[in-house]
Amino acid sequence: MNSIEKIQYATKEESAVSNVDGWLFTDFAGRDGLTKSLLQLSADIFTTRRWVYVVLPRESPLKILHSIEPHALDNLPGECLYYSSQKELQDILSRFAGKTLATLWDSDISVISTVDGGFISLLQNLGIKVTSAASLIQRTKGLLTAAGIASHERASSLLYKIVADTWNFISYHYKTKKPLTEIAVVTYILEQFVKYNLKTNASPIVAFGKNSGNPHYAPTASQCAVAQEGDIIQLDIWAKERLADDGSGVVREDVPIYGDISWVGVFGTKASPEAEKMFTDLCAARDVVYNAITESLRAHSKITGKELDLKVRARLQEDGYGQYIMHRTGHGIDTEDHGSGVNLDGTEFPDARYLLPGSCFSVEPGIYTPQYGMRTEINIYMDLEGKPVISGRKFMHPDVKGISIPQSTLLTVQD
């Protein structure tokens, strides 16, 4: 299935459960990268006028193009209509008056809200009802195929191997009393990505001691901590397989899918009782997600990302950590680390989309105090039968020892 076939299929599926009559895409002057990604448009396409592309459930798509840029969407199927004035554009769009069209617009999920407000107002003034394309994006890009699940599992398994090797690297420095910097650990992890043919969109997060209290801490060569006895060490790594492009231009089903995990350890042979308790409570909150999904399946009901996040927050608040929560519970994962599928978010960008077969997401609650922070992260995907699976076990490297999935105790240096 090519990208447009997927979009049309998703539109047909969504129209069966909602009142959506079509999916409208638009871009002006090349501003909208998400639209280009979804339609698989070349990054080299340059336009200075607005174009519109409407995908309908059971009809041929419609291309609306400015007359001086008639070839802007040549690689997409559909009937072409041309305009050269604002009135002509409005006259063409008016054929959809009374219809409900999904667009890349959402009042809650900002990352997918890329259509400009002026154009949204224009559509509404023409009598077109505009609704969010969030569920359509999930159906198109945010659900993994069997090949995608396999790629995600392979990447996740390698990340766990890299965590185990990285902890051995950290332990070696502790035992030999050699100074260890955050940057040294970042460099080691990036070397492992190369070794295992993985790629990432950013350097991993490695934070020692007080720095672990910053969820997006990023050490630099000129400003990074040296590990001290008893420091909490936060590791957060994400990557996907590096696949060679065969140059055919054919959409591959084995597109690489990210894995994204976080582990917590102590630079020492024993954790403090306070750190142990905080981590135990954090793991219990994390595991609320898998248990809640399982319970919803048992009750033959569906559950949303918003509901799951609120359940995790409630658990952390009950345990007395409410003031130390700084972010949502998780994000969608697909070809992007922060993908287009359902997020576990009921507070920052509330996501009321349901978990569907093929949904893949991180589960990463965090507790951040002024002294240190902790974030434990696993990935869960819904298999093609709609059952939850904790990622990383299927292809686990035989050399991995001393870690469990999911992490249940703080890593320490072993004698």
Side-chain angles (χ1 to χ4, degrees):
M1 225 187 265
N2 63 36
S3 60
I4 303 305
E5 288 171 339
K6 286 182 179 179
I7 288 170
Q8 188 165 42
Y9 180 78
T11 306
K12 188 183 299 183
E13 291 283 295
E14 188 67 17
S15 68
V17 297
S18 69
N19 60 348
V20 169
D21 297 304
W23 189 351
L24 182 150
F25 298 87
T26 187
D27 189 27
F28 177 78
R31 294 175 180 174
D32 193 342
L34 179 56
T35 285
K36 284 187 174 182
S37 171
L38 288 165
L39 297 178
Q40 295 193 348
L41 297 175
S42 170
D44 298 329
I45 290 178
F46 175 75
T47 57
T48 62
R49 304 295 193 274
R50 182 181 297 281
W51 55 257
V52 178
Y53 189 66
V54 184
V55 178
L56 304 167
R58 295 170 182 82
E59 302 172 41
S60 177
L62 176 65
K63 294 186 273 190
I64 305 172
L65 302 159
H66 196 282
S67 56
I68 68 170
E69 294 173 342
H71 302 294
L73 301 179
D74 275 359
N75 67 321
L76 298 181
E79 175 193 358
C80 293
L81 295 176
Y82 304 98
Y83 75 95
S84 58
S85 69
Q86 182 81 336
K87 184 179 185 309
E88 289 174 343
L89 174 60
Q90 292 178 14
D91 287 344
I92 295 171
L93 290 170
S94 291
R95 66 170 58 191
F96 296 106
K99 302 288 188 182
T100 298
L101 299 181
T103 64
L104 300 189
W105 169 85
D106 195 281
S107 58
D108 290 323
I109 310 174
S110 301
V111 70
I112 65 168
S113 193
T114 57
V115 176
D116 60 280
F119 188 69
I120 295 294
S121 294
L122 171 63
L123 295 175
Q124 292 171 333
N125 290 339
L126 293 173
I128 300 169
K129 184 177 179 181
V130 178
T131 190
S132 170
S135 294
L136 285 161
I137 294 173
Q138 179 180 13
R139 292 180 184 277
T140 303
K141 191 172 181 288
L143 300 180
L144 305 189
T145 63
I149 288 173
S151 175
H152 169 69
E153 279 278 18
R154 291 191 296 269
S156 299
S157 298
L158 287 172
L159 291 180
Y160 282 113
K161 166 64 173 165
I162 291 170
V163 163
D165 291 347
T166 300
W167 194 253
N168 289 335
F169 175 79
I170 292 170
S171 296
Y172 167 78
H173 282 76
Y174 180 85
K175 292 175 181 178
T176 59
K177 301 187 184 306
K178 292 185 176 182
L180 178 67
T181 65
E182 293 163 330
I183 283 293
V185 180
V186 169
T187 301
Y188 178 85
I189 293 170
L190 291 175
E191 289 171 349
Q192 301 310 298
F193 286 174
V194 173
K195 176 180 177 181
Y196 292 109
N197 202 33
L198 298 174
K199 65 178 180 179
T200 185
N201 60 1
S203 293
I205 293 174
V206 176
F208 296 169
K210 189 174 182 179
N211 293 337
S212 62
N214 176 356
H216 281 177
Y217 173 74
T220 64
S222 60
Q223 186 174 0
C224 68
V226 177
Q228 305 296 321
E229 177 73 35
D231 271 354
I232 293 295
I233 293 182
Q234 178 71 59
L235 304 176
D236 188 346
I237 66 175
W238 58 94
K240 61 182 178 179
E241 297 175 297
R242 187 185 299 276
L243 297 181
D245 184 355
D246 61 12
S248 67
V250 175
V251 178
R252 297 172 57 151
E253 287 298 319
D254 61 340
V255 290
I257 304 296
Y258 267 93
D260 184 355
I261 62 174
S262 296
W263 276 64
V264 190
V266 178
F267 195 66
T269 57
K270 186 175 177 60
S272 70
E274 295 80 12
E276 286 281 10
K277 182 181 186 308
M278 181 185 290
F279 189 72
T280 298
D281 292 341
L282 187 60
C283 289
R286 176 199 64 200
D287 295 344
V288 163
V289 170
Y290 183 89
N291 295 335
I293 296 171
T294 302
E295 182 59 34
S296 71
L297 290 175
R298 190 177 296 120
H300 304 288
S301 63
K302 295 188 292 185
I303 196 164
T304 67
K306 177 179 178 178
E307 291 173 294
L308 289 169
D309 177 57
L310 294 178
K311 287 178 181 292
V312 172
R313 286 175 179 270
R315 178 59 182 266
L316 289 173
Q317 289 164 350
E318 287 172 10
D319 289 336
Y321 301 106
Q323 63 180 314
Y324 303 124
I325 304 171
M326 295 179 67
H327 57 71
R328 61 190 177 186
T329 298
H331 56 80
I333 295 174
D334 47 55
T335 56
E336 302 298 329
D337 179 42
H338 284 228
S340 299
V342 63
N343 305 301
L344 306 193
D345 191 341
T347 304
E348 290 188 78
F349 309 102
D351 197 327
R353 291 178 290 181
Y354 290 109
L355 273 59
L356 302 175
S359 293
C360 181
F361 46 89
S362 70
V363 183
E364 49 180 308
I367 299 171
Y368 304 97
T369 74
Q371 291 74 39
Y372 55 80
M374 297 181 180
R375 179 172 61 259
T376 173
E377 178 180 13
I378 62 173
N379 301 157
I380 294 177
Y381 62 87
M382 308 299 287
D383 68 17
L384 300 185
E385 296 180 351
K387 298 176 183 177
V389 179
I390 296 174
S391 313
R393 294 166 166 167
K394 190 171 183 180
F395 301 109
M396 180 53 66
H397 196 285
D399 291 343
V400 174
K401 297 180 177 64
I403 66 173
S404 60
I405 304 173
Q407 184 182 6
S408 57
T409 58
L410 285 166
L411 291 173
T412 56
V413 176
Q414 302 301 308
D415 295 328

